[in-house]
Amino acid sequence: KGVCNLVSQVVTVRLNQNPIAKIQQQNGINFCENGTINAASTNSTATYEWLLNSVVVGEGTSVLVSQSGTYTLQVTQNGCQATTQIEVVITPAPQTPVVVATESTICPSTETTISVDNAVNGVTYQWFRNGRRISKTGSSITTSITTSIKGSYSVVATSTANRDCST
């Protein structure tokens, strides 16, 4: 009695490495109105998809975001996939301040009150005279105006939730 052995063909199994899914920005990043998030390490043979609430919102190594939420970066390469997430907060820009004065022309040693007519909570106001910052902050300012302090007054509104968000 003989032993009968049959040898199959050789099958080669190749192991692909998982792609790297890493986001350049820190978790909890806060943008004013919108911003761009980027993949930290990229590979030309990989594909990149950005998702918000399981819906694809962009493809490529970066995406412009305009909604708060948890964004997922999904990287696919050679059939392997890796994901990572980032929490994004979008802060709306404050509305443009409307500046009003009780009097726009005054006499020496009299005062006028200059104020933000549409002041809102959650916003700080920085005042400027002739383009130079003055020390008063808040939604209203009383300024003694003499001939030496006449000028053009303006204000910058800044969100207290995101100091980079101003008008």
Side-chain angles (χ1 to χ4, degrees), residues 18-25 38-44 46-48 50 60-62 73 75 77 84:
N18 279 332
I20 297 171
K22 187 173 180 185
I23 299 172
Q24 195 173 45
Q25 290 77 11
N38 307 291
S41 53
T42 61
N43 186 315
S44 62
T47 59
Y48 298 82
W50 297 89
T61 57
S62 63
L73 170 60
V75 183
Q77 184 178 21
T84 189

Side-chain angles (χ1 to χ4, degrees), residues 8-148:
S8 72
Q9 291 182 334
V10 174
V11 174
T12 303
V13 176
R14 193 177 94 213
L15 177 64
N16 289 330
Q17 298 298 315
N18 279 332
I20 297 171
K22 187 173 180 185
I23 299 172
Q24 195 173 45
Q25 290 77 11
Q26 297 295 320
N27 197 37
I29 189 158
N30 192 325
F31 292 113
C32 181
E33 296 287 309
N34 60 52
T36 301
I37 49 179
N38 307 291
S41 53
T42 61
N43 186 315
S44 62
T45 62
T47 59
Y48 298 82
E49 279 189 327
W50 297 89
L51 298 95
L52 175 62
N53 300 325
S54 301
V55 175
V56 176
V57 293
E59 295 179 354
T61 57
S62 63
V63 66
L64 179 66
V65 296
S66 59
Q67 294 179 8
S68 294
T70 302
Y71 286 80
T72 301
L73 170 60
Q74 184 173 288
V75 183
T76 305
Q77 184 178 21
N78 298 322
C80 299
Q81 192 174 76
T83 61
T84 189
Q85 294 183 322
I86 185 172
E87 185 69 29
V88 173
V89 177
I90 301 295
T91 303
Q95 59 184 325
T96 302
V98 176
V99 178
V100 294
T102 54
E103 298 292 330
S104 59
T105 304
I106 59 172
C107 298
S109 71
T110 60
E111 293 183 337
T112 186
T113 300
I114 303 171
S115 61
V116 176
D117 196 40
N118 59 340
V120 294
N121 290 331
V123 175
T124 60
Y125 299 92
Q126 175 61 60
W127 290 91
F128 294 82
R129 181 179 59 238
N130 299 327
R132 293 187 145 189
R133 183 181 181 160
I134 56 178
S135 62
K136 305 284 187 186
T137 59
S139 63
S140 182
I141 171 177
T142 301
T143 306
S144 291
I145 298 195
T146 63
T147 56
S148 64

